[in-house]
Amino acid sequence: MSKRKLLMSFAALCMLSTAAVAEGPKAGGVVNAVIQPEPPSLMVGLVQNGPTQMVAGNIYEGLLRYSSKLDPLPGLAESWTVSEDGKTYTFKLVKGVTWHDGKPFTAADVLFSIEFLKQTHARARGNLVQLDKVEASDESTVIFTLKQPFGPFIGIFEVGSLPMIPKHIYEGTDFKTNPANNTPVGTGPFMFKEWQKGSFIRLVKNPNYHIKGKPNIDEIYWHVIPDAAARSVAYETGKVDVLPGGSVENFDVPRLSKLKNTCVTGAGWEFFSPHSWLWLNNRSGPTANKKFRQALMFAIDRNMAKDVVWNGLGKVATGPSGSAIKYYTSAVPKYDYDPAKAKALLKEAGYTGEKLRLLPLPYGETWQRWAEMVRQNLQDVGINVEMVATDVPGWNQKVSEWDYDIAFTYLYQYGDPALGVGRNYISSQIAKGSPFNNAEGYSNPEIDKLFADGAVAFPDAARAEIYAKAQKILVEDVPVAWMLELQFPTITRCSVKNLITTGIGVNDGFRDAWIEK
Amino acid sequence: MISFIAQRIAKAIVVLLALVVLNFFLIRMAPGDPALVMAGEAGAGDQVFLAQLREKFGLDQPLPVQLFLYVKGILNLDLGFSFRQQMPVATLILQRLPATLLLTGTAFAISLAFGILFGALAARFAGTWADTAITVLALVFYATPLFWVALMAILLFSVTMDWLPSFGYETVGANYTGLAHVLDVAAHLVLPATTIGLFFMATYARMTRASMLEVSRLDFVKTARAKGLSDSVIQRRHVLRNALLPVVTLAGLQAGTLVGGAVLTETVFAWPGIGRLMYEALLQRDYNLLLGVFVVCSAMVLAFNLITDLVYRSVDPRIEFAS
């Protein structure tokens, strides 16, 4: 390299670094965000509602975080190793971490958290089925030993799935009535300060956070605004700066995105990958017939629903797995919009005009309109559909009592087919009285075996093969009518930087966010 | 009079208990329960989770036992525990009650004062353009749905002109004190209170007008005029006073709904009051909280009925306390 060239590249390097300094995170500022509905509690170990997770992700932390590609990132664990047989996971904890009350965070807290969550956290209980034992070899080393290799294990450590709970506060108490539940204590970047029920939740910066210089923001206010139109007005009038995904009606999104200094992103949902489908009652009526179910898939114009109801956001689903989660394959039978084919299949299925009850999801206007659109599609091919109106508890009841023919829903997939996909198709998950399992009543021994094998197969290549096979069979059988991979847009002022940095989006907290002044 | 009030209170307690039992069964007839709702919001819930919740909420007990425990609590002035919010129902209601009373009380005062004023004016100038203007406006505000008025008001005064805040009770994070705080709350109060107030103002105006016109045709008004009393004295002392009875009846009914009647407005304006608490409790099947709000509202209605009767007496001395 010539002297001159060297000099020039050095100059360029200098410029680059000054530019980086100029654009670097700035400290200070207040963020106003919207939360809806009001969470029942912020103690995420006891309550896992969506809004609870969204606020609590600032207060609590998990051992790991996940990138938008769902690769594990350090959280409260700075490093980890997996044994060659896939049965032993060793986590090295970050040193010098303290709880918000000043007590040190140690391996003992991790062990306690596992015991705590096994009692209180429905999903954690499921995720930890393969766990044989967990031990601490010293203050900052935790070793998980599994009964057999469990592929999704590395994916269960995010803050909503396995939050760390302070042992010194909960040990020996009745967890559910502990008064500390009202003043949550975690290790996270923000501390709970104030909650005026019905108005707002206030979090403040944790000055002793274990990453020096973080968080950048001083305070977060989560405003409770029950009406969707009022939420968009609150943003329009500058009273709030962040509308997390799903806070405003979808038809308001295009209007809000056009406002000055407004940024919209669909990122931050990769881990959850909300997957929407129509539950089809596989037990009785026309929907018990596979040909009829296939006809439904051909009859529904999902592309149009995406463009009209969801403003082009999201993706038409091709099968049981979302395209962002592990072991997805697109090599499955295709169901493009084809009313003629649908009619032919209906004839083959011997459908004679029985009335079908369609249950929309009572989550606001967007879902109502979507249901109307599907009804139109179905009526167009000659299916007799009747819409049943319910509120949320009524919907839960009808679905969990199997009292429907077609019902809208969407479920999270948690990054791995063993965690968020299988539960909807395996026979052991058929249980009356619970709304989020195999509510359609699909039962296929081959599928049961594939999902059972897939969870514990080792290494990953073996899992991929199994899940590809399962997806193919399911798409052929159409136990449910897959609709869209949903994308809930997060709307923010462009001056709020670096808000979404991982695959769980806003739920991961405002740790890295900063405000440009 | 004391014995009249005592008897009325005794009757009210019986009615209240009957209402508690009725509401208890009505709420439980709605599909779904709080455990299902909470599992639904978590997006996952195995049988263990649901069973845990139901046990914790006491929903695993037979219905008569649940009713017995609830009524026993009520008799001890204990409204129970909110399943969802993890707080005593009484605490939750007391936290929210002031905001609601401020909102509905303001709306009530505005609507009553201006309603009677405009009604009296319309009657006084019956047949003129002023009468027509008041009557038409009253009809418009009476017929327009509240939520639409609310949304239009927000669009105009918050979004377009940026004069008034569109949601909440105060500016969050501003930490105003003293007069600044009062003004801040007042600014937040304007839109929701006017929204509720307009509807009732229209009702009062129309009722006052009709009633005054009717009274002014009666013989004693003619007598008063023949005696040579001035027109303003006749309108105030003879016509208005006698015309107010039906308005008092209506106001008494409205006063009863002061606590629970603002569900829609509180929701649209994110006003942290009891109407919203009730609405959310309903959607979440938070039985105890919902029942608690019902009990408080019913007690209020009964109390206001009694007060209305007492006001009758002072407006029209001919009405006597019969027992």
Side-chain angles (χ1 to χ4, degrees), chain A residues 38 40 48-50 119 125 176 197-200 221 225-226 230 233-234 239 391 393 397 423 431-434 436, chain B residues 31-32 37 40-43 45-47 50 52 56 84-85 96 154 158 166-167 172-173 267-268 270 272 276 283 285:
Chain A
E38 186 163 22
Q48 287 86 42
N49 295 19
Q119 292 180 41
R125 191 159 39 233
K176 292 182 179 172
K197 296 257 173 171
S199 291
F200 65 87
Y221 284 96
I225 307 176
V233 168
K239 299 292 189 293
D391 64 353
Q397 165 112 348
R423 60 174 169 163
K432 212 171 191 162
S434 175
F436 293 99
Chain B
V37 175
E41 286 178 337
D46 53 6
Q47 297 296 335
L50 286 168
Q52 274 178 354
K56 186 175 140 207
R84 188 186 164 90
Q85 312 232 28
R96 298 288 191 95
I154 290 176
S158 299
S166 63
F167 75 96
V172 167
T267 305
V268 172
R276 248 175 76 195
L283 287 186
R285 300 288 190 270

Side-chain angles (χ1 to χ4, degrees), chain A residues 225-281:
Chain A
I225 307 176
D227 182 66
R231 291 194 285 275
S232 32
V233 168
Y235 181 83
E236 270 182 286
T237 53
K239 299 292 189 293
V240 300
D241 318 303
V242 175
L243 296 171
S247 358
V248 294
E249 288 289 357
N250 233 55
F251 47 76
D252 274 337
V253 173
R255 183 170 57 87
L256 293 175
S257 2
K258 284 195 199 91
L259 295 176
K260 233 173 64 188
N261 186 24
T262 295
C263 290
V264 182
T265 173
W269 288 94
E270 296 82 4
F271 182 78
F272 303 113
S273 293
H275 209 58
S276 69
W277 63 75
L278 302 174
W279 260 320
L280 307 174
N281 200 331

